[in-house]
PDB file of all heavy atoms in Angstrom:
ATOM      1  N   LEU G 236     -24.643  15.189  18.283  1.00 84.00           N
ATOM      2  CA  LEU G 236     -24.862  14.205  19.347  1.00 84.00           C
ATOM      3  C   LEU G 236     -23.885  14.414  20.499  1.00 84.00           C
ATOM      4  O   LEU G 236     -24.258  14.305  21.675  1.00 84.00           O
ATOM      5  CB  LEU G 236     -24.715  12.797  18.774  1.00 84.00           C
ATOM      6  CG  LEU G 236     -25.820  12.334  17.808  1.00 84.00           C
ATOM      7  CD1 LEU G 236     -25.461  10.980  17.206  1.00 84.00           C
ATOM      8  CD2 LEU G 236     -27.162  12.243  18.532  1.00 84.00           C
ATOM      9  N   MET G 237     -22.610  14.705  20.177  1.00 76.00           N
ATOM     10  CA  MET G 237     -21.632  14.924  21.233  1.00 76.00           C
ATOM     11  C   MET G 237     -21.950  16.184  22.026  1.00 76.00           C
ATOM     12  O   MET G 237     -21.821  16.208  23.265  1.00 76.00           O
ATOM     13  CB  MET G 237     -20.226  15.016  20.622  1.00 76.00           C
ATOM     14  CG  MET G 237     -19.788  13.761  19.878  1.00 76.00           C
ATOM     15  SD  MET G 237     -19.759  12.300  20.921  1.00 76.00           S
ATOM     16  CE  MET G 237     -18.402  12.687  22.003  1.00 76.00           C
ATOM     17  N   ASP G 238     -22.360  17.245  21.351  1.00 77.00           N
ATOM     18  CA  ASP G 238     -22.741  18.465  22.066  1.00 77.00           C
ATOM     19  C   ASP G 238     -23.948  18.221  22.962  1.00 77.00           C
ATOM     20  O   ASP G 238     -24.009  18.720  24.098  1.00 77.00           O
ATOM     21  CB  ASP G 238     -23.046  19.583  21.067  1.00 77.00           C
ATOM     22  CG  ASP G 238     -21.796  20.049  20.329  1.00 77.00           C
ATOM     23  OD1 ASP G 238     -20.689  19.770  20.822  1.00 77.00           O
ATOM     24  OD2 ASP G 238     -21.935  20.663  19.252  1.00 77.00           O
ATOM     25  N   GLU G 239     -24.907  17.462  22.425  1.00 81.00           N
ATOM     26  CA  GLU G 239     -26.082  17.148  23.234  1.00 81.00           C
ATOM     27  C   GLU G 239     -25.696  16.312  24.459  1.00 81.00           C
ATOM     28  O   GLU G 239     -26.230  16.511  25.565  1.00 81.00           O
ATOM     29  CB  GLU G 239     -27.104  16.400  22.379  1.00 81.00           C
ATOM     30  CG  GLU G 239     -28.408  16.078  23.086  1.00 81.00           C
ATOM     31  CD  GLU G 239     -29.173  17.327  23.465  1.00 81.00           C
ATOM     32  OE1 GLU G 239     -29.009  18.369  22.800  1.00 81.00           O
ATOM     33  OE2 GLU G 239     -29.950  17.254  24.440  1.00 81.00           O
ATOM     34  N   ARG G 240     -24.757  15.373  24.265  1.00 75.00           N
ATOM     35  CA  ARG G 240     -24.294  14.578  25.400  1.00 75.00           C
ATOM     36  C   ARG G 240     -23.627  15.445  26.448  1.00 75.00           C
ATOM     37  O   ARG G 240     -23.868  15.289  27.655  1.00 75.00           O
ATOM     38  CB  ARG G 240     -23.308  13.511  24.921  1.00 75.00           C
ATOM     39  CG  ARG G 240     -22.852  12.572  26.022  1.00 75.00           C
ATOM     40  CD  ARG G 240     -21.649  11.749  25.604  1.00 75.00           C
ATOM     41  NE  ARG G 240     -20.437  12.565  25.478  1.00 75.00           N
ATOM     42  CZ  ARG G 240     -19.209  12.076  25.360  1.00 75.00           C
ATOM     43  NH1 ARG G 240     -19.020  10.765  25.303  1.00 75.00           N
ATOM     44  NH2 ARG G 240     -18.172  12.876  25.267  1.00 75.00           N
ATOM     45  N   THR G 241     -22.809  16.403  26.003  1.00 73.00           N
ATOM     46  CA  THR G 241     -22.136  17.280  26.951  1.00 73.00           C
ATOM     47  C   THR G 241     -23.143  18.115  27.716  1.00 73.00           C
ATOM     48  O   THR G 241     -23.034  18.280  28.946  1.00 73.00           O
ATOM     49  CB  THR G 241     -21.151  18.190  26.205  1.00 73.00           C
ATOM     50  OG1 THR G 241     -20.214  17.379  25.488  1.00 73.00           O
ATOM     51  CG2 THR G 241     -20.404  19.092  27.163  1.00 73.00           C
ATOM     52  N   ARG G 242     -24.130  18.670  27.007  1.00 78.00           N
ATOM     53  CA  ARG G 242     -25.148  19.482  27.682  1.00 78.00           C
ATOM     54  C   ARG G 242     -25.940  18.654  28.682  1.00 78.00           C
ATOM     55  O   ARG G 242     -26.259  19.114  29.791  1.00 78.00           O
ATOM     56  CB  ARG G 242     -26.074  20.119  26.649  1.00 78.00           C
ATOM     57  CG  ARG G 242     -25.426  21.228  25.838  1.00 78.00           C
ATOM     58  CD  ARG G 242     -26.457  21.989  25.040  1.00 78.00           C
ATOM     59  NE  ARG G 242     -27.075  21.166  24.025  1.00 78.00           N
ATOM     60  CZ  ARG G 242     -26.625  21.078  22.772  1.00 78.00           C
ATOM     61  NH1 ARG G 242     -25.541  21.758  22.409  1.00 78.00           N
ATOM     62  NH2 ARG G 242     -27.226  20.314  21.889  1.00 78.00           N
ATOM     63  N   MET G 243     -26.254  17.418  28.286  1.00 80.00           N
ATOM     64  CA  MET G 243     -27.029  16.569  29.178  1.00 80.00           C
ATOM     65  C   MET G 243     -26.229  16.235  30.439  1.00 80.00           C
ATOM     66  O   MET G 243     -26.754  16.319  31.566  1.00 80.00           O
ATOM     67  CB  MET G 243     -27.424  15.287  28.453  1.00 80.00           C
ATOM     68  CG  MET G 243     -28.221  14.308  29.302  1.00 80.00           C
ATOM     69  SD  MET G 243     -28.520  12.752  28.449  1.00 80.00           S
ATOM     70  CE  MET G 243     -26.836  12.112  28.348  1.00 80.00           C
ATOM     71  N   LEU G 244     -24.959  15.874  30.263  1.00 74.00           N
ATOM     72  CA  LEU G 244     -24.137  15.545  31.421  1.00 74.00           C
ATOM     73  C   LEU G 244     -23.903  16.762  32.303  1.00 74.00           C
ATOM     74  O   LEU G 244     -23.857  16.651  33.543  1.00 74.00           O
ATOM     75  CB  LEU G 244     -22.802  14.962  30.966  1.00 74.00           C
ATOM     76  CG  LEU G 244     -22.860  13.567  30.331  1.00 74.00           C
ATOM     77  CD1 LEU G 244     -21.486  13.160  29.836  1.00 74.00           C
ATOM     78  CD2 LEU G 244     -23.370  12.550  31.331  1.00 74.00           C
ATOM     79  N   ALA G 245     -23.740  17.930  31.676  1.00 75.00           N
ATOM     80  CA  ALA G 245     -23.563  19.148  32.473  1.00 75.00           C
ATOM     81  C   ALA G 245     -24.805  19.448  33.303  1.00 75.00           C
ATOM     82  O   ALA G 245     -24.710  19.843  34.477  1.00 75.00           O
ATOM     83  CB  ALA G 245     -23.232  20.320  31.554  1.00 75.00           C
ATOM     84  N   ALA G 246     -25.967  19.246  32.682  1.00 78.00           N
ATOM     85  CA  ALA G 246     -27.205  19.476  33.432  1.00 78.00           C
ATOM     86  C   ALA G 246     -27.364  18.481  34.573  1.00 78.00           C
ATOM     87  O   ALA G 246     -27.751  18.854  35.700  1.00 78.00           O
ATOM     88  CB  ALA G 246     -28.394  19.376  32.476  1.00 78.00           C
ATOM     89  N   ILE G 247     -27.043  17.218  34.296  1.00 78.00           N
ATOM     90  CA  ILE G 247     -27.130  16.203  35.359  1.00 78.00           C
ATOM     91  C   ILE G 247     -26.151  16.520  36.484  1.00 78.00           C
ATOM     92  O   ILE G 247     -26.485  16.424  37.672  1.00 78.00           O
ATOM     93  CB  ILE G 247     -26.863  14.809  34.767  1.00 78.00           C
ATOM     94  CG1 ILE G 247     -27.983  14.411  33.808  1.00 78.00           C
ATOM     95  CG2 ILE G 247     -26.723  13.770  35.876  1.00 78.00           C
ATOM     96  CD1 ILE G 247     -27.746  13.115  33.085  1.00 78.00           C
ATOM     97  N   ALA G 248     -24.900  16.914  36.095  1.00 75.00           N
ATOM     98  CA  ALA G 248     -23.903  17.236  37.119  1.00 75.00           C
ATOM     99  C   ALA G 248     -24.345  18.424  37.962  1.00 75.00           C
ATOM    100  O   ALA G 248     -24.156  18.440  39.185  1.00 75.00           O
ATOM    101  CB  ALA G 248     -22.564  17.525  36.450  1.00 75.00           C
ATOM    102  N   HIS G 249     -24.950  19.427  37.319  1.00 75.00           N
ATOM    103  CA  HIS G 249     -25.428  20.602  38.064  1.00 75.00           C
ATOM    104  C   HIS G 249     -26.492  20.211  39.069  1.00 75.00           C
ATOM    105  O   HIS G 249     -26.461  20.626  40.253  1.00 75.00           O
ATOM    106  CB  HIS G 249     -25.962  21.645  37.081  1.00 75.00           C
ATOM    107  CG  HIS G 249     -26.487  22.876  37.752  1.00 75.00           C
ATOM    108  ND1 HIS G 249     -27.798  22.996  38.165  1.00 75.00           N
ATOM    109  CD2 HIS G 249     -25.866  24.030  38.093  1.00 75.00           C
ATOM    110  CE1 HIS G 249     -27.977  24.170  38.734  1.00 75.00           C
ATOM    111  NE2 HIS G 249     -26.812  24.839  38.699  1.00 75.00           N
ATOM    112  N   ASP G 250     -27.446  19.407  38.643  1.00 78.00           N
ATOM    113  CA  ASP G 250     -28.517  18.989  39.553  1.00 78.00           C
ATOM    114  C   ASP G 250     -27.981  18.114  40.673  1.00 78.00           C
ATOM    115  O   ASP G 250     -28.385  18.256  41.845  1.00 78.00           O
ATOM    116  CB  ASP G 250     -29.603  18.251  38.775  1.00 78.00           C
ATOM    117  CG  ASP G 250     -30.349  19.176  37.808  1.00 78.00           C
ATOM    118  OD1 ASP G 250     -30.263  20.405  38.003  1.00 78.00           O
ATOM    119  OD2 ASP G 250     -30.963  18.662  36.856  1.00 78.00           O
ATOM    120  N   LEU G 251     -27.066  17.192  40.326  1.00 80.00           N
ATOM    121  CA  LEU G 251     -26.527  16.322  41.361  1.00 80.00           C
ATOM    122  C   LEU G 251     -25.690  17.097  42.377  1.00 80.00           C
ATOM    123  O   LEU G 251     -25.671  16.743  43.571  1.00 80.00           O
ATOM    124  CB  LEU G 251     -25.678  15.223  40.719  1.00 80.00           C
ATOM    125  CG  LEU G 251     -26.446  14.122  39.983  1.00 80.00           C
ATOM    126  CD1 LEU G 251     -25.478  13.136  39.358  1.00 80.00           C
ATOM    127  CD2 LEU G 251     -27.389  13.382  40.938  1.00 80.00           C
ATOM    128  N   ARG G 252     -24.993  18.152  41.916  1.00 77.00           N
ATOM    129  CA  ARG G 252     -24.219  18.939  42.862  1.00 77.00           C
ATOM    130  C   ARG G 252     -25.115  19.607  43.896  1.00 77.00           C
ATOM    131  O   ARG G 252     -24.732  19.791  45.073  1.00 77.00           O
ATOM    132  CB  ARG G 252     -23.392  19.991  42.119  1.00 77.00           C
ATOM    133  CG  ARG G 252     -22.225  19.428  41.361  1.00 77.00           C
ATOM    134  CD  ARG G 252     -21.403  20.533  40.717  1.00 77.00           C
ATOM    135  NE  ARG G 252     -20.373  19.978  39.878  1.00 77.00           N
ATOM    136  CZ  ARG G 252     -19.224  19.473  40.309  1.00 77.00           C
ATOM    137  NH1 ARG G 252     -18.991  19.438  41.604  1.00 77.00           N
ATOM    138  NH2 ARG G 252     -18.319  18.983  39.482  1.00 77.00           N
ATOM    139  N   THR G 253     -26.317  19.981  43.454  1.00 80.00           N
ATOM    140  CA  THR G 253     -27.265  20.574  44.408  1.00 80.00           C
ATOM    141  C   THR G 253     -27.603  19.583  45.516  1.00 80.00           C
ATOM    142  O   THR G 253     -27.575  19.919  46.713  1.00 80.00           O
ATOM    143  CB  THR G 253     -28.533  21.007  43.676  1.00 80.00           C
ATOM    144  OG1 THR G 253     -28.194  21.952  42.643  1.00 80.00           O
ATOM    145  CG2 THR G 253     -29.521  21.651  44.649  1.00 80.00           C
ATOM    146  N   TYR G 254     -27.903  18.348  45.114  1.00 81.00           N
ATOM    147  CA  TYR G 254     -28.228  17.335  46.119  1.00 81.00           C
ATOM    148  C   TYR G 254     -26.999  16.962  46.944  1.00 81.00           C
ATOM    149  O   TYR G 254     -27.119  16.684  48.156  1.00 81.00           O
ATOM    150  CB  TYR G 254     -28.792  16.086  45.437  1.00 81.00           C
ATOM    151  CG  TYR G 254     -30.152  16.330  44.802  1.00 81.00           C
ATOM    152  CD1 TYR G 254     -30.289  16.484  43.436  1.00 81.00           C
ATOM    153  CD2 TYR G 254     -31.287  16.429  45.604  1.00 81.00           C
ATOM    154  CE1 TYR G 254     -31.522  16.715  42.857  1.00 81.00           C
ATOM    155  CE2 TYR G 254     -32.541  16.658  45.034  1.00 81.00           C
ATOM    156  CZ  TYR G 254     -32.650  16.799  43.658  1.00 81.00           C
ATOM    157  OH  TYR G 254     -33.884  17.029  43.108  1.00 81.00           O
ATOM    158  N   LEU G 255     -25.825  16.926  46.345  1.00 82.00           N
ATOM    159  CA  LEU G 255     -24.614  16.637  47.103  1.00 82.00           C
ATOM    160  C   LEU G 255     -24.356  17.707  48.162  1.00 82.00           C
ATOM    161  O   LEU G 255     -23.911  17.412  49.285  1.00 82.00           O
ATOM    162  CB  LEU G 255     -23.411  16.529  46.160  1.00 82.00           C
ATOM    163  CG  LEU G 255     -23.298  15.254  45.336  1.00 82.00           C
ATOM    164  CD1 LEU G 255     -22.122  15.353  44.375  1.00 82.00           C
ATOM    165  CD2 LEU G 255     -23.117  14.051  46.248  1.00 82.00           C
ATOM    166  N   THR G 256     -24.603  18.965  47.782  1.00 82.00           N
ATOM    167  CA  THR G 256     -24.426  20.041  48.761  1.00 82.00           C
ATOM    168  C   THR G 256     -25.368  19.867  49.941  1.00 82.00           C
ATOM    169  O   THR G 256     -24.981  20.024  51.120  1.00 82.00           O
ATOM    170  CB  THR G 256     -24.648  21.401  48.089  1.00 82.00           C
ATOM    171  OG1 THR G 256     -23.750  21.539  46.978  1.00 82.00           O
ATOM    172  CG2 THR G 256     -24.415  22.540  49.072  1.00 82.00           C
ATOM    173  N   ARG G 257     -26.626  19.510  49.642  1.00 84.00           N
ATOM    174  CA  ARG G 257     -27.591  19.286  50.720  1.00 84.00           C
ATOM    175  C   ARG G 257     -27.160  18.122  51.607  1.00 84.00           C
ATOM    176  O   ARG G 257     -27.227  18.200  52.851  1.00 84.00           O
ATOM    177  CB  ARG G 257     -28.960  19.005  50.125  1.00 84.00           C
ATOM    178  CG  ARG G 257     -29.589  20.191  49.388  1.00 84.00           C
ATOM    179  CD  ARG G 257     -30.923  19.764  48.792  1.00 84.00           C
ATOM    180  NE  ARG G 257     -31.517  20.826  47.982  1.00 84.00           N
ATOM    181  CZ  ARG G 257     -32.640  20.677  47.269  1.00 84.00           C
ATOM    182  NH1 ARG G 257     -33.281  19.510  47.293  1.00 84.00           N
ATOM    183  NH2 ARG G 257     -33.125  21.680  46.559  1.00 84.00           N
ATOM    184  N   LEU G 258     -26.730  17.034  50.982  1.00 85.00           N
ATOM    185  CA  LEU G 258     -26.320  15.870  51.759  1.00 85.00           C
ATOM    186  C   LEU G 258     -25.088  16.179  52.601  1.00 85.00           C
ATOM    187  O   LEU G 258     -24.953  15.665  53.731  1.00 85.00           O
ATOM    188  CB  LEU G 258     -26.034  14.693  50.821  1.00 85.00           C
ATOM    189  CG  LEU G 258     -27.253  14.069  50.137  1.00 85.00           C
ATOM    190  CD1 LEU G 258     -26.806  13.020  49.121  1.00 85.00           C
ATOM    191  CD2 LEU G 258     -28.169  13.423  51.177  1.00 85.00           C
ATOM    192  N   THR G 259     -24.183  16.999  52.056  1.00 83.00           N
ATOM    193  CA  THR G 259     -22.991  17.362  52.829  1.00 83.00           C
ATOM    194  C   THR G 259     -23.377  18.147  54.080  1.00 83.00           C
ATOM    195  O   THR G 259     -22.826  17.924  55.179  1.00 83.00           O
ATOM    196  CB  THR G 259     -22.037  18.188  51.950  1.00 83.00           C
ATOM    197  OG1 THR G 259     -21.683  17.435  50.796  1.00 83.00           O
ATOM    198  CG2 THR G 259     -20.766  18.547  52.730  1.00 83.00           C
ATOM    199  N   LEU G 260     -24.313  19.065  53.929  1.00 85.00           N
ATOM    200  CA  LEU G 260     -24.778  19.835  55.097  1.00 85.00           C
ATOM    201  C   LEU G 260     -25.475  18.932  56.101  1.00 85.00           C
ATOM    202  O   LEU G 260     -25.277  19.049  57.320  1.00 85.00           O
ATOM    203  CB  LEU G 260     -25.701  20.955  54.635  1.00 85.00           C
ATOM    204  CG  LEU G 260     -25.033  22.066  53.797  1.00 85.00           C
ATOM    205  CD1 LEU G 260     -26.084  23.043  53.282  1.00 85.00           C
ATOM    206  CD2 LEU G 260     -23.966  22.786  54.591  1.00 85.00           C
ATOM    207  N   ARG G 261     -26.309  18.031  55.618  1.00 84.00           N
ATOM    208  CA  ARG G 261     -27.032  17.158  56.533  1.00 84.00           C
ATOM    209  C   ARG G 261     -26.103  16.166  57.217  1.00 84.00           C
ATOM    210  O   ARG G 261     -26.363  15.715  58.341  1.00 84.00           O
ATOM    211  CB  ARG G 261     -28.116  16.407  55.776  1.00 84.00           C
ATOM    212  CG  ARG G 261     -29.260  17.336  55.321  1.00 84.00           C
ATOM    213  CD  ARG G 261     -30.251  16.605  54.453  1.00 84.00           C
ATOM    214  NE  ARG G 261     -31.321  17.515  54.006  1.00 84.00           N
ATOM    215  CZ  ARG G 261     -32.280  17.197  53.133  1.00 84.00           C
ATOM    216  NH1 ARG G 261     -32.302  15.974  52.624  1.00 84.00           N
ATOM    217  NH2 ARG G 261     -33.196  18.082  52.787  1.00 84.00           N
ATOM    218  N   ALA G 262     -25.008  15.784  56.508  1.00 85.00           N
ATOM    219  CA  ALA G 262     -24.081  14.847  57.128  1.00 85.00           C
ATOM    220  C   ALA G 262     -23.417  15.436  58.360  1.00 85.00           C
ATOM    221  O   ALA G 262     -22.956  14.697  59.246  1.00 85.00           O
ATOM    222  CB  ALA G 262     -23.019  14.430  56.117  1.00 85.00           C
ATOM    223  N   GLU G 263     -23.354  16.780  58.459  1.00 84.00           N
ATOM    224  CA  GLU G 263     -22.747  17.411  59.623  1.00 84.00           C
ATOM    225  C   GLU G 263     -23.558  17.177  60.890  1.00 84.00           C
ATOM    226  O   GLU G 263     -23.035  17.322  62.007  1.00 84.00           O
ATOM    227  CB  GLU G 263     -22.593  18.913  59.372  1.00 84.00           C
ATOM    228  CG  GLU G 263     -21.638  19.277  58.246  1.00 84.00           C
ATOM    229  CD  GLU G 263     -20.228  18.815  58.558  1.00 84.00           C
ATOM    230  OE1 GLU G 263     -19.835  18.814  59.731  1.00 84.00           O
ATOM    231  OE2 GLU G 263     -19.511  18.438  57.596  1.00 84.00           O
ATOM    232  N   PHE G 264     -24.837  16.790  60.705  1.00 85.00           N
ATOM    233  CA  PHE G 264     -25.689  16.576  61.875  1.00 85.00           C
ATOM    234  C   PHE G 264     -25.665  15.119  62.350  1.00 85.00           C
ATOM    235  O   PHE G 264     -26.392  14.764  63.284  1.00 85.00           O
ATOM    236  CB  PHE G 264     -27.136  16.983  61.565  1.00 85.00           C
ATOM    237  CG  PHE G 264     -27.286  18.452  61.311  1.00 85.00           C
ATOM    238  CD1 PHE G 264     -27.302  18.953  60.014  1.00 85.00           C
ATOM    239  CD2 PHE G 264     -27.401  19.347  62.371  1.00 85.00           C
ATOM    240  CE1 PHE G 264     -27.441  20.309  59.785  1.00 85.00           C
ATOM    241  CE2 PHE G 264     -27.549  20.712  62.126  1.00 85.00           C
ATOM    242  CZ  PHE G 264     -27.563  21.197  60.837  1.00 85.00           C
TER     243      PHE G 264
END
Side-chain angles (χ1 to χ4, degrees):
L236 290 174
M237 299 300 292
D238 292 342
E239 183 64 26
R240 184 193 70 168
T241 302
R242 289 191 294 268
M243 179 186 67
L244 290 176
I247 293 175
H249 179 271
D250 293 342
L251 287 178
R252 287 183 186 281
T253 302
Y254 292 104
L255 284 175
T256 303
R257 293 178 185 175
L258 290 174
T259 302
L260 293 174
R261 290 174 181 174
E263 295 297 327
F264 294 97

